Amino acid sequence: MAEMTDSGVLLRMAYKAMINAGVDADAVLAEVGLDKSILQVPDLRTPHDAQEWFWQALEKVSGDEHIGLHLGEHIPVYKGQVLEYLFLSSPTFGEGLKRALDYQRLLSDAAQGELFEEGDRVFLKQMIWSKRLSHLNECMMMGVIKFFRFVTDGAFEPLEVHFGHTRHADKLEYERLFDCPVKFDMPSIGMYFDARVMNLPSAHHEPELLHLHEQLASEQVARLEKQDLVAQVNRLIGELLESGHANLEEVAERLGIKARQLRTRLADAGTNFNQLVADYRCRLAKRLLAGTEESIDEIVYLTGFSEPSTFYRAFKRWVGMTPIEYRKLKAEEDAAENR
């Protein structure tokens, strides 16, 4: 299974919210080992597992034990993305919401929302958000409500919000910010809203644009699926190198497909197996040389080479210097930073 990731737009929105809330956003990024420049990376995806570290860092820097709730108050409206365009160009809010749920992994692989129509109310259930991530849950819930109000010109209002975690702030503070009853320790995370909102017409409905936006969303999901394949292959290359040699046939077998299919799908993703193996070996060798005291002979073994001379030639081709020269350079750079 590929690693779950989140769209970089979530990090950018959180960064803006931190600025709006008066939190030292750069200090939060530094706390989790990131630089502000990451916000400019096109098509950025971040590991979903890193959410827990991010919110711990944010609570530490802000000194606010209710930071998710309060950051949600300052989160900007989600705009300029294909999910927004799907909402606006659909005939009604309900159709836009159903289309957005079809493509929700564009926002996060961890987002698996479902709709349940219960008479005069609808429950939007969020499947994956972890109980451990109470800050994320509260901030995201407020972000979703703000977005729904935006695409309905203010007509959307939640009737009731449910969280899986235990309440940690004052009950009145939750109801002030969500403007509706909020329940905790519930079996599902989500919100109820008036079923009539589903039929609310969109002022921006345009059939031709809707077709284009669906096509764009499908293309973006297809790109993510190609990235998933490359990530899975990289993970298997790492596992196989630990036990000797990584080859296309073994990786294809573990993925449950034919070697020919894997070769074709990697070509469609703009790469090939040999290139992925070389890139993985290069990254691993550089990390071991710079960050450990492993001997060159041990690094030769760990990177899957049969003998040192082959490793030396490959590393010189990759990096433009020998392994010993690279290790010496990194040691000098570290020493200079620590002066």
Side-chain angles (χ1 to χ4, degrees):
M1 181 179 174
E3 177 185 53
M4 290 199 300
T5 61
D6 300 322
S7 168
V9 72
L10 296 181
L11 183 58
R12 295 185 190 104
M13 289 173 66
Y15 187 87
K16 290 180 182 176
M18 287 187 279
I19 299 295
N20 294 342
V23 175
D24 188 341
D26 292 339
V28 174
L29 293 185
E31 187 74 22
V32 293
L34 297 176
D35 184 82
K36 183 180 177 180
S37 60
I38 195 174
L39 301 174
Q40 308 306 319
V41 174
D43 299 323
L44 174 66
R45 301 284 296 189
T46 56
H48 183 70
D49 285 347
Q51 286 281 1
E52 194 166 357
W53 305 332
F54 174 80
W55 287 98
Q56 286 173 355
L58 184 46
E59 182 175 341
K60 176 182 174 182
V61 172
S62 67
D64 183 356
E65 60 183 357
H66 313 307
I67 187 60
L69 187 62
H70 295 142
L71 202 70
E73 190 173 10
H74 297 280
I75 200 87
V77 174
Y78 173 78
K79 288 184 181 180
Q81 305 291 319
V82 69
L83 294 183
E84 177 202 351
Y85 304 148
L86 280 174
F87 260 100
L88 295 178
S89 55
S90 291
T92 64
F93 171 82
E95 289 192 41
L97 178 54
K98 288 173 182 176
R99 283 189 175 90
L101 290 175
D102 287 338
Y103 298 105
Q104 59 193 301
R105 75 161 302 196
L106 294 179
L107 192 61
S108 173
D109 295 328
Q112 294 188 13
E114 287 186 299
L115 278 178
F116 296 89
E117 301 189 27
E118 303 175 8
D120 60 354
R121 301 200 306 174
V122 175
F123 186 65
L124 174 58
K125 178 183 177 183
Q126 175 52 254
M127 300 281 288
I128 289 293
W129 295 350
S130 168
K131 289 186 180 183
R132 298 193 321 272
L133 298 174
S134 59
H135 289 323
L136 172 66
N137 294 339
E138 293 171 1
C139 187
M140 286 290 289
M141 189 70 75
M142 294 190 72
V144 170
I145 292 169
K146 283 186 179 184
F147 176 70
F148 286 175
R149 285 172 175 158
F150 165 69
V151 295
T152 59
D153 294 323
F156 180 89
E157 288 298 336
L159 298 176
E160 193 172 279
V161 167
H162 290 191
F163 289 117
H165 59 269
T166 299
R167 178 168 63 85
H168 57 82
D170 187 86
K171 184 173 182 287
L172 294 178
E173 179 74 345
Y174 281 104
E175 294 186 356
R176 176 184 75 83
L177 292 169
F178 286 103
D179 199 25
C180 70
V182 181
K183 295 185 177 181
F184 299 88
D185 299 308
M186 301 298 287
S188 299
I189 300 169
M191 76 176 92
Y192 278 101
F193 60 90
D194 194 318
R196 289 174 295 184
V197 178
M198 294 288 284
N199 297 319
L200 195 69
S202 171
H204 305 277
H205 170 49
E206 177 53 63
E208 290 184 7
L209 284 178
L210 176 59
H211 175 73
L212 288 174
H213 295 150
E214 285 198 291
Q215 186 177 8
L216 178 60
S218 296
E219 290 171 357
Q220 290 185 5
V221 168
R223 278 205 301 274
L224 287 180
E225 289 171 350
K226 291 174 184 177
Q227 292 171 17
D228 287 345
L229 175 66
V230 170
Q232 286 177 297
V233 171
N234 273 324
R235 177 177 56 79
L236 289 171
I237 287 171
E239 290 177 7
L240 290 169
L241 280 178
E242 287 181 8
S243 57
H245 182 64
N247 61 69
L248 179 79
E249 289 72 22
E250 176 72 14
V251 169
E253 183 180 340
R254 294 209 183 185
L255 291 173
I257 60 177
K258 295 184 182 300
R260 184 177 66 254
Q261 288 176 289
L262 177 56
R263 193 177 291 112
T264 301
R265 289 175 61 183
L266 287 175
D268 191 40
T271 188
N272 61 68
F273 186 76
N274 289 340
Q275 185 63 54
L276 291 178
V277 172
D279 289 346
Y280 186 92
R281 283 171 155 175
C282 179
R283 289 194 304 271
L284 179 58
K286 287 164 73 174
R287 187 166 70 248
L288 292 171
L289 287 165
T292 75
E293 295 181 0
E294 295 279 9
S295 69
I296 299 295
D297 285 345
E298 183 66 15
I299 292 173
V300 169
Y301 169 74
L302 291 171
T303 50
F305 285 91
S306 57
E307 51 189 72
S309 61
T310 311
F311 171 68
Y312 269 77
R313 285 196 300 272
F315 194 85
K316 183 75 181 286
R317 186 173 66 251
W318 296 332
V319 183
M321 61 182 77
T322 68
I324 292 172
E325 290 170 339
Y326 181 82
R327 174 168 269 176
K328 181 181 177 184
L329 174 66
K330 290 300 174 182
E332 290 171 351
E333 288 177 352
D334 287 345
E337 284 183 11
N338 293 327
R339 282 192 196 119

